[in-house]
Amino acid sequence: MNLQEKPFYLTDDQVRWVEETLSSMTAKQKVGQLFCVMGQDFGADELKTLVKDYNIGGILFRPAPAKEIRAWYEPLDGAARVPLLKAANLEEGGTGGLSDGTYFGWPMAVAATDDLGVMEKFAKVCALEGQSVGLNWTFSPVCDLDLNYRNPITNVRTCGSDLERVKSFCSQYVRTLQEQGMAACAKHYPGDGVDFRDQHLHPTYNSLPAKDWYESYGAIYQQLIEDGLMSVMVGHIVQPNVEMDINPELRFEECLPGSLSKELLTGVLREKFGFNGVITTDATIMSGFTQAMPRREAIPTAIMAGCDMLVFTTGFYEDYQYMLDALESGFLTEERLNEAVTRTLALKAKVGKAPAGGQLPEAKQWQAECADKCVTLVKNNQDVLPLTPEKYPLIRLVTLGKDAITEGCEAAPDDARYPIESSMTAIAEELLREAGFETERFDIEKEELHGTKDLPKNRLTLYLANCEHASNQTAVRLFWAKKHALDVPRHVEEEPYIFVSFSNPYHLQDVPRVKTYINAYSCHRPMIEAVISKLLGKSAFKGVSPVDAFCGLPDARL
């Protein structure tokens, strides 16, 4: 492999460092480089041992205050024989790496602005805030196509379902992020968002015909590779049609998740697409990986199939030994081990010493700009906007899902910064009252079945939904009160309702007859402020829906 070509473009000195470092390593030290572990799974002393004695290649800490993350990495940097890859999931802004970073908004919010300039600003915030704690590698962008609205995990983590939008916005993210000196890792190859299930729970399927896959998901990865993408994260997602296209002798039942598939990794990514960067598995603790084959076989199979690194372990020492056993038996070849470690070292040569980074003074302004541009008026089949106290002096607020949100950070006595929790409903209520409205909160305990002749004529009901995507759940739907579902927008023909979703663009499947529906994609104070401002007519709705918010349901348009 030529490390002076795309994507590493190493100098002569950097190539020499890679070659000399590789040649100085023992087989055990090379095997250690294959692992990226979860930092919080180990105590400080044990983690230092893994770095010093086992020579692990990378570490990811879940978000914590910046001061803590810096303190965790400092002794590890001192113990590391070669620089560490320091990873995070910078999907929604700096908060993906440090809890006191900027929650910019989920990628779908950025895509809904229809403005690549906002994506450029988003990527800068991710890179510079991540680098402020030493991060040099991010498991982003999510470049899946959100083709199945029932999928519980892709959702607002994606840039939507439109191929050209996803391709252009992910491309902008990768170029901007890597210009700042941080490595991007696009995921989840071969592509999530077709199946309605979650690969955290079992292997899932991208069932597109091979031709359609190459023209969609394949085209996204080819574009990113052309842009100089440094790494790819491979999901535990089977693409049987592409695998059987590469290897016609394969039967459907023999097709493996991407993280274990030689056809998808070596046959497509390396040989067809010419990708020369690092390939890493998605977390090997996920059932999509653990259910595919016995772990003793799966761990070395992932490397032999074409992965260069393994993310997270169910038990580090066991997995490490499985790799040594495979090397001794000949199942894992020395050639494949050296190739994997060479690419990992090349990535470290490129980004191992990350720029200092820091908090961007413009971050909050850019966050507010994104919120203003992304809020989308999906449906407005009634004459209620703009809201005025004269028309509807009383606003009834119905909260669905998570009400607590993170609203900025504050300094603790030791100078660490901790998130401030607030209430979505309280913020909306505060803004409405400032505008002259009276408000009341819906209380299911006080609500009873009733007719409609005495419905208040001066009241509008505003639904605020924050039902977040999450791994290990099987659906992101609205679940109504057991008490006669009295929180449902029941009388849509006799009283006015407005439904606002802050975290899921597909709620019209559950409230199809609501006449005014708004998507906001992320839940933080600037987004709530933007929504209320638009409801009051102080600013225009500018968002462009990145998905079919009607879920293909004709009645949702009524």
Side-chain angles (χ1 to χ4, degrees), residues 374-452:
C374 81
V375 176
T376 307
L377 181 60
V378 174
K379 175 181 177 181
N380 186 27
N381 293 344
Q382 59 185 341
D383 183 24
V384 296
L385 297 178
L387 300 182
T388 66
E390 291 72 32
K391 193 188 300 184
Y392 301 110
L394 177 62
I395 305 291
R396 179 173 61 160
L397 298 165
V398 183
T399 305
L400 301 174
K402 180 183 175 184
D403 189 41
I405 63 169
T406 299
E407 185 188 354
C409 296
E410 64 180 355
D414 62 356
D415 291 328
R417 296 180 66 82
Y418 290 87
I420 306 166
E421 282 218 334
S422 187
S423 158
M424 168 182 67
T425 310
I427 294 170
E429 193 170 44
E430 166 196 330
L431 295 170
L432 289 168
R433 287 179 176 174
E434 287 177 0
F437 295 90
E438 293 182 31
T439 64
E440 67 178 22
R441 298 197 189 189
F442 177 87
D443 185 345
I444 189 65
E445 298 302 323
K446 296 178 181 178
E447 193 74 10
E448 299 295 341
L449 282 171
H450 55 76
T452 60

Side-chain angles (χ1 to χ4, degrees), residues 152 287 447 529:
S287 295
E447 193 74 10
E529 290 174 342

